[in-house]
Amino acid sequence: MESQPDIDPQETQEWLDALESVLVNEGPERAHFLLEKLVEKARRSGTYLPYSANTAYINTIPTGKEERSPGDNAIEHRIRSYVRWNAMAMVLRANRATNVGGHIASFASAATLYDIGYNHFWHSPSENHGGDLVYVQGHSSPGIYAYAFLAGELTEEQLNNFRQEAGGNGLSSYPHPWLMPSFWQFPTVSMGLGPIMALYQARFMKYLGSRGLVNTEGRKIWAFMGDGEMDEPESLGAITLASREKLDNLIFVVNCNLQRLDGPVRGNGKVIQELEAAFRGAGWNVIKVIWGSYWDPLLAKDTKGLLQKRMMECVDGEYQNFKSRDGAYVRKHFFGKYPELLEMVANMSDDDIWRLNRGGHDPYKVYAAYAEAVKHKGQPTVILAKTIKGYGMGEAGEAQNITHQQKKMGTTSLKAFRNRFGLDIPDDKIDDIPYLTFDKDASEYVYMQERREALGGFYHRRRRQADSLQIPPLTAFESMLKASGEGRESSTTMAYVRILGTLVKDKQIGKHVVPIVADESRTFGMEGMFRQLGIWSSVGQLYTPQDADQLMYYKEDKHGQILQEGINEAGALSSWIAAATAYSTHGIQMIPFFIFYSMFGFQRVGDLIWAAGDMRCRGFLMGGTAGRTTLNGEGLQHEDGHSHVVASTIPNCISYDPTFAYELAVIIQDGLRRMYQDQQDVFYYITVMNENYPHPEMPKGIEQHILKGMYLYSEAGKRSKGPRVQLLGSGTILHEVIAAAEILKKDYGVNADVWSVTSFTELRREALRVNRWNMLHPEKKAKTSHVEDCLQKRNGPVIAATDYMKIYADQIREFVPGCYRVLGTDGFGRSDTRNKLRQFFEIDRYYITVAALKALADEEKIPKDKVTQAIKQFDIDPEKPDPVTL
């Protein structure tokens, strides 16, 4: 609109005077109402008025409406200065001797943002408050350690062991609950995960409150992130959900220091304005904290809006450049563009101009923003705080492109830092980079203790356990342990749904179960739970569902138990994480079951699952429609042949690929015991399939073998003559193995023992533990692994077949005695029937038979022409291309 000439200045002034009168006499709310009415009238009359979600490039909260901090600013400034120094000292000291890295600049820009939270807003769990949850920006971890040290939560020895953890009593590089289980709550340095996890944590807190499981009154989720981090798709990808669900318990604080890791975030634009538009457009309450208090007199003089115009004109690259120079440079290049602005600052020295501060470093502005955010109702809030990366580092890195990687500072820079923050460190000690502390009777230390006591005590105290749950015995799943009956076929997915149905009805743990789906309840046969449990909605159901006349209609409910997350695996996994850590964050154990297309789990949201391991999550991830050949017709992007391989990379992820309903029941029941009764910090990945087949009765006494990963399913006659092989299979491919055993016996006189392998991964892990023990106890009797116990006294080569890549079954090769051959589904999936896909990937009964015969021929147990005979009999083309190449 600026480019249009004012054809009637007098009329314009009359309108502006009228608006000013309303503002003075009736307030901004009335002025806003009238403006909205004018816009509405103009649009109804056919006028095109494009919407803008941006406001002026100034603070959202006017100076006269700022809530003042009740704290002692002088004492808080000294505390903050000590924290700044110790955070820097920790990194510098660590890199003098060991060069282990670390970051100074991010916390330097955010120190005030954290300090105000610690002193005035962040509640610890207490009798009167459930506690606030804070997602720390990962690169700011040194500052969090520095604060905890000054408050007495960490020791100097621990600070000296920053990033040196192998010997114990160290501090992890970033927030890692696995490494510091009593300190950190959330891992956030894989950027973008903190925002989405915080968002769904806030939603899950509402879920717990709606169901009456936890008192969530007054609790807030605070998530700190950088402006560069907002480029991650997870950072902004779910923000509309927060406004849609009215998550007024959620506060994002974006540290807008205008720099990424290598340079400017929006050097040619304005990231704060961009983020304001994104969040305001998504329905958030946006609070901009751009300018500090020293700007207030200048803005008050700006009656014509010229200063605001200049503020808006400058791009972020210029603002970064200003702060890497000095006051004279700012006078010339910022104020110097307009003579009126130069006149405005004529009585200010260059030092005065340099002192003009950014809002994120002003405790008064930050406090006002936080106070407004915690009081706001009906919307989530984002605070966009403008800061300087490397604030206080001077020529060593302040507002410089290299600052993120800066890990060393010379004597001159250290002295400048000391002088800037008024620290009492003599020149002859400066190069020692000493840690600063307060005496126990010092006013600063007393103040820190008093502020934390008022907010519930020390903040960094992560719960490691909650009340144990009484887990139902295996007999509770009796129907799963019996044979399915003549002519009755079902899938392991349906067995899972029946197990889940049993659990939600259990009087002891039923209310703790959290069924989670992305948007495919009907795909997994869970629609029967809609009416029984209801889909949780913060507003209930405001409409009559289309299928209301059906038994399994779509039912949303304020007290619903199912979390149906839409087509959103990342969001569903974030909800699962919130539930899987409820024992720590909310003091109550919840039992989340998240079922998803296995292909869209570890492959799509693997970074979140890795974070779940770090967070010591407890719960069940169910990989549905699993296996490369099990899912009819879907093709390359749906057919999973590697989720178990990826799952094996997470140390505390226990994974299984069961074939039968009784195996699934045994695994889930024992998982419940381990996680919710014994409170072990593990979680489960279990694959289930949609292929229907009969399920036999569970043999007696095999429960522990199922859990260890392998048991003898069927045995060829012990006294049967002829060669023998050992056939291993998992999931639906076990049926192909069973069929191959029959072919081998009937057509080739080969005896085949069949083994159901519920987990190649758990077999390997146990065998590795045994190997390690044997290596470290050379003079004691050697132990044997479960794989060896099962196979070492068995005759014949061993052949394994699964619906996954060969490397999955190949994991145990080291521990299998004798010859070991593996069949698997390496390559891209494709659309076809199960039979044709198994033939294509060379894992059907015929290829298993050929593999067994070839292994016997190699051991000279049968003539080689027997293998050739089988290849011809089964119409296998020896020149067929390797499926991995197609």
Side-chain angles (χ1 to χ4, degrees):
M1 303 296 289
E2 250 182 83
S3 60
Q4 296 182 6
D6 188 347
I7 59 175
D8 192 341
Q10 181 176 346
E11 182 185 35
T12 301
Q13 192 59 48
E14 289 172 358
W15 277 90
L16 292 174
D17 290 344
L19 179 62
E20 180 66 23
S21 176
V22 173
L23 286 167
V24 171
N25 296 302
E26 300 183 61
E29 289 79 10
R30 178 61 179 167
H32 182 266
F33 175 81
L34 292 173
L35 289 171
E36 288 291 336
K37 284 294 183 183
L38 288 171
V39 169
E40 181 183 347
K41 174 63 177 175
R43 285 178 172 156
R44 285 174 178 267
S45 301
T47 303
Y48 174 65
L49 293 177
Y51 167 75
S52 173
N54 278 126
T55 60
Y57 197 65
I58 57 174
N59 295 345
T60 301
I61 304 173
T63 303
K65 293 203 167 186
E66 293 171 354
E67 184 172 327
R68 303 300 288 178
S69 169
D72 186 318
N73 186 61
I75 288 180
E76 289 185 14
H77 176 73
R78 287 197 294 276
I79 293 170
R80 194 159 55 245
S81 297
Y82 271 46
V83 171
R84 286 182 180 278
W85 174 270
N86 287 340
M88 177 189 67
M90 187 189 330
V91 177
L92 297 182
R93 288 169 65 140
N95 283 280
R96 276 189 170 180
T98 60
N99 197 30
V100 292
H103 298 280
I104 302 171
S106 291
F107 179 74
S109 66
T112 304
L113 302 177
Y114 289 101
D115 185 61
I116 299 301
Y118 277 124
N119 285 327
H120 300 287
F121 291 96
W122 299 340
H123 293 84
S124 295
S126 65
E127 292 183 3
N128 303 317
H129 198 286
D132 296 319
L133 301 176
V134 179
Y135 289 73
V136 171
Q137 186 182 2
H139 289 108
S140 293
S141 61
I144 308 305
Y145 293 139
Y147 179 90
F149 166 68
L150 209 56
E153 295 183 71
L154 295 175
T155 66
E156 184 170 335
E157 179 190 7
Q158 288 174 296
L159 262 60
N160 285 333
N161 287 336
F162 173 62
R163 290 195 169 204
Q164 300 166 70
E165 302 172 87
N169 206 31
L171 300 181
S172 60
S173 54
Y174 305 117
H176 292 301
W178 185 261
L179 301 173
M180 297 179 66
S182 298
F183 189 91
W184 289 117
Q185 192 77 262
F186 310 108
T188 53
V189 83
S190 186
M191 287 186 278
L193 300 193
I196 193 170
M197 288 193 296
L199 193 154
Y200 280 89
Q201 179 70 253
R203 181 168 173 269
F204 188 72
M205 189 183 285
K206 294 276 189 179
Y207 167 90
L208 291 174
S210 292
R211 295 188 57 208
L213 296 171
V214 172
N215 181 6
T216 59
E217 190 68 29
R219 298 181 66 191
K220 300 290 183 182
I221 311 291
W222 296 74
F224 287 77
M225 59 213 73
D227 46 359
E229 182 178 2
M230 302 313 287
D231 287 342
E232 292 282 6
E234 294 91 347
S235 297
L236 296 176
I239 60 174
T240 53
L241 178 136
S243 54
R244 185 168 70 246
E245 298 283 357
K246 298 180 174 57
L247 299 182
D248 50 13
N249 59 342
L250 177 64
I251 300 169
F252 275 14
V253 181
V254 184
N255 176 21
C256 298
N257 58 36
L258 313 186
Q259 291 184 237
R260 293 194 189 106
L261 309 186
D262 288 334
V265 178
R266 294 288 183 273
N268 297 311
K270 304 176 89 60
V271 71
I272 289 177
Q273 297 299 93
E274 179 184 321
L275 292 175
E276 176 191 29
F279 279 98
R280 194 183 300 281
W284 286 53
N285 173 42
V286 179
I287 300 175
K288 294 193 291 189
V289 186
I290 300 177
W291 308 111
S293 301
Y294 291 121
W295 285 93
D296 289 345
L298 294 178
L299 287 165
K301 291 180 186 178
D302 187 35
T303 56
K304 295 183 179 179
L306 191 59
L307 177 58
Q308 289 189 38
K309 177 183 178 182
R310 181 66 182 125
M311 289 172 165
M312 192 64 200
E313 286 175 345
C314 284
V315 296
D316 286 353
E318 292 177 286
Y319 280 119
Q320 181 192 344
N321 205 16
F322 293 149
K323 281 304 178 183
S324 70
R325 303 300 181 93
D326 55 24
Y329 184 90
V330 175
R331 182 192 301 274
K332 178 180 178 181
H333 293 276
F334 179 77
F335 294 102
K337 182 171 182 179
Y338 299 107
E340 297 91 333
L341 295 184
L342 274 177
E343 179 63 26
M344 184 184 288
V345 297
N347 294 328
M348 297 175 66
S349 68
D350 289 346
D351 286 343
D352 291 334
I353 289 177
W354 186 247
R355 200 174 294 116
L356 292 169
N357 56 339
R358 292 186 178 174
H361 300 300
D362 188 317
Y364 300 106
K365 303 294 185 184
V366 173
Y367 181 91
Y370 284 11
E372 178 68 23
V374 297
K375 290 186 296 186
H376 191 78
K377 300 294 184 183
Q379 288 175 294
T381 293
V382 60
I383 296 169
L384 304 174
K386 190 175 186 181
T387 64
I388 303 165
K389 192 160 188 176
Y391 182 73
M393 293 174 66
E395 64 182 17
E398 186 164 338
Q400 296 179 28
N401 284 338
I402 52 89
T403 189
H404 187 77
Q405 304 302 328
Q406 198 70 6
K407 308 177 195 321
K408 296 181 181 181
M409 291 174 65
T411 302
T412 301
S413 295
L414 288 171
K415 287 180 178 179
F417 191 101
R418 174 199 63 186
N419 296 340
R420 182 166 183 172
F421 294 106
L423 302 170
D424 186 18
I425 306 172
D427 283 351
D428 61 347
K429 298 291 184 183
I430 196 80
D431 284 334
D432 296 337
I433 323 178
Y435 293 127
L436 301 180
T437 59
F438 297 117
D439 292 335
K440 293 294 188 289
D441 58 353
S443 59
E444 294 88 351
Y445 185 82
V446 172
Y447 184 87
M448 290 182 76
Q449 302 304 310
E450 288 176 347
R451 293 310 310 142
R452 287 314 311 162
E453 287 175 13
L455 293 167
F458 282 150
Y459 185 76
H460 297 287
R461 295 182 300 179
R462 179 183 176 275
R463 294 187 192 98
R464 299 192 64 177
Q465 290 193 336
D467 291 340
S468 291
L469 299 180
Q470 185 176 332
I471 302 305
L474 185 59
T475 52
F477 311 103
E478 187 175 2
S479 62
M480 299 290 102
L481 310 181
K482 294 181 178 180
S484 55
E486 186 69 28
R488 295 186 61 185
E489 296 185 344
S490 64
S491 66
T492 47
T493 298
M494 293 314 301
Y496 156 70
V497 173
R498 290 165 64 191
I499 290 170
L500 192 60
T502 299
L503 291 175
V504 296
K505 294 174 185 174
D506 186 88
K507 293 181 180 180
Q508 299 297 325
I509 68 169
K511 65 181 180 181
H512 296 265
V513 175
V514 185
I516 302 173
V517 284
D519 188 40
E520 295 191 301
S521 295
R522 298 183 194 277
T523 298
F524 300 121
M526 295 175 62
E527 66 269 30
M529 292 185 174
F530 289 166
R531 185 173 181 179
Q532 176 189 357
L533 303 177
I535 298 165
W536 180 76
S537 166
S538 59
V539 296
Q541 194 156 38
L542 306 179
Y543 62 95
T544 300
Q546 172 271 327
D547 52 0
D549 59 340
Q550 298 179 23
L551 181 63
M552 294 181 284
Y553 65 87
Y554 196 84
K555 176 187 174 184
E556 298 188 66
D557 194 306
K558 285 184 179 181
H559 307 293
Q561 193 165 346
I562 300 170
L563 288 175
Q564 177 105 339
E565 302 293 11
I567 306 172
N568 185 358
E569 287 85 0
L573 202 282
S574 296
S575 283
W576 181 87
I577 287 173
T581 53
Y583 71 94
S584 177
T585 53
H586 304 294
I588 182 174
Q589 295 209 81
M590 302 302 290
I591 309 173
F593 285 86
F594 173 29
I595 187 167
F596 49 87
Y597 267 80
S598 64
M599 186 68 161
F600 304 150
F602 284 85
Q603 176 166 295
R604 178 166 245 162
V605 289
D607 199 10
L608 279 165
I609 300 176
W610 181 262
D614 191 349
M615 290 175 74
R616 297 173 175 264
C617 284
R618 302 171 188 166
F620 294 93
L621 296 175
M622 309 299 296
T625 60
R628 187 83 81 201
T629 69
T630 304
L631 188 57
N632 272 339
E634 289 287 0
L636 183 148
Q637 201 164 1
H638 285 68
E639 292 175 340
D640 162 38
H642 50 274
S643 65
H644 273 289
V645 177
V646 184
S648 71
T649 65
I650 302 177
N652 55 341
C653 176
I654 312 300
S655 61
Y656 290 95
D657 182 37
T659 305
F660 300 120
Y662 65 77
E663 295 175 351
L664 186 62
V666 168
I667 292 165
I668 289 178
Q669 194 276 337
D670 192 66
L672 291 168
R673 175 193 63 80
R674 291 182 64 180
M675 293 185 288
Y676 302 104
Q677 187 169 296
D678 298 347
Q679 301 203 50
Q680 298 177 27
D681 291 337
V682 296
F683 66 98
Y684 279 65
Y685 175 61
I686 305 172
T687 42
V688 290
M689 286 70 72
N690 67 338
E691 185 172 350
N692 295 323
Y693 46 78
H695 293 260
E697 183 174 350
M698 183 175 75
K700 293 186 181 298
I702 66 162
E703 292 90 336
Q704 288 307 308
H705 284 209
I706 290 172
L707 298 172
K708 287 182 178 180
M710 177 178 178
Y711 67 93
L712 184 61
Y713 174 75
S714 66
E715 183 177 21
K718 288 184 178 180
R719 297 181 180 179
S720 298
K721 295 181 180 180
R724 183 177 291 269
V725 294
Q726 308 299 315
L727 302 184
L728 281 56
S730 72
T732 58
I733 303 305
L734 178 59
H735 289 285
E736 296 299 315
V737 169
I738 294 169
E742 294 174 358
I743 293 171
L744 284 165
K745 181 63 176 175
K746 179 181 176 183
D747 295 349
Y748 297 94
V750 174
N751 299 301
D753 300 330
V754 176
W755 300 81
S756 175
V757 180
T758 53
S759 179
F760 285 96
T761 299
E762 297 310 308
L763 287 175
R764 174 176 173 79
R765 287 174 172 172
E766 189 262 354
L768 289 173
R769 289 192 294 270
V770 169
N771 259 16
R772 178 180 179 274
W773 190 94
N774 289 338
M775 180 183 72
L776 297 176
H777 300 83
E779 296 185 37
K780 293 189 176 181
K781 182 181 178 181
K783 296 182 178 180
T784 55
S785 66
H786 185 63
V787 175
E788 292 166 313
D789 290 341
C790 290
L791 296 176
Q792 65 184 354
K793 294 182 181 180
R794 294 278 166 175
N795 295 324
V798 181
I799 290 84
T802 77
D803 215 5
Y804 300 90
M805 296 174 66
K806 295 181 178 71
I807 197 170
Y808 176 53
D810 212 39
Q811 292 182 90
I812 64 169
R813 176 175 297 278
E814 177 184 352
F815 314 104
V816 176
C819 171
Y820 185 45
R821 302 290 172 83
V822 169
L823 304 181
T825 56
D826 295 55
F828 286 116
R830 59 206 60 220
S831 303
D832 216 310
T833 64
R834 294 185 182 114
N835 289 339
K836 288 185 178 180
L837 288 173
R838 287 165 187 167
Q839 182 185 45
F840 174 83
F841 281 107
E842 303 172 1
I843 59 165
D844 66 3
R845 61 195 65 184
Y846 306 114
Y847 276 95
I848 296 170
T849 299
V850 168
L853 293 173
K854 179 62 166 65
L856 287 169
D858 289 345
E859 293 185 351
E860 299 183 349
K861 299 289 179 61
I862 64 172
K864 291 183 179 179
D865 63 3
K866 286 282 188 182
V867 187
T868 305
Q869 176 188 333
I871 291 173
K872 291 179 179 179
Q873 178 184 343
F874 303 140
D875 198 24
I876 293 174
D877 179 4
E879 305 308 317
K880 169 180 173 287
D882 187 337
V884 76
T885 66
L886 296 176

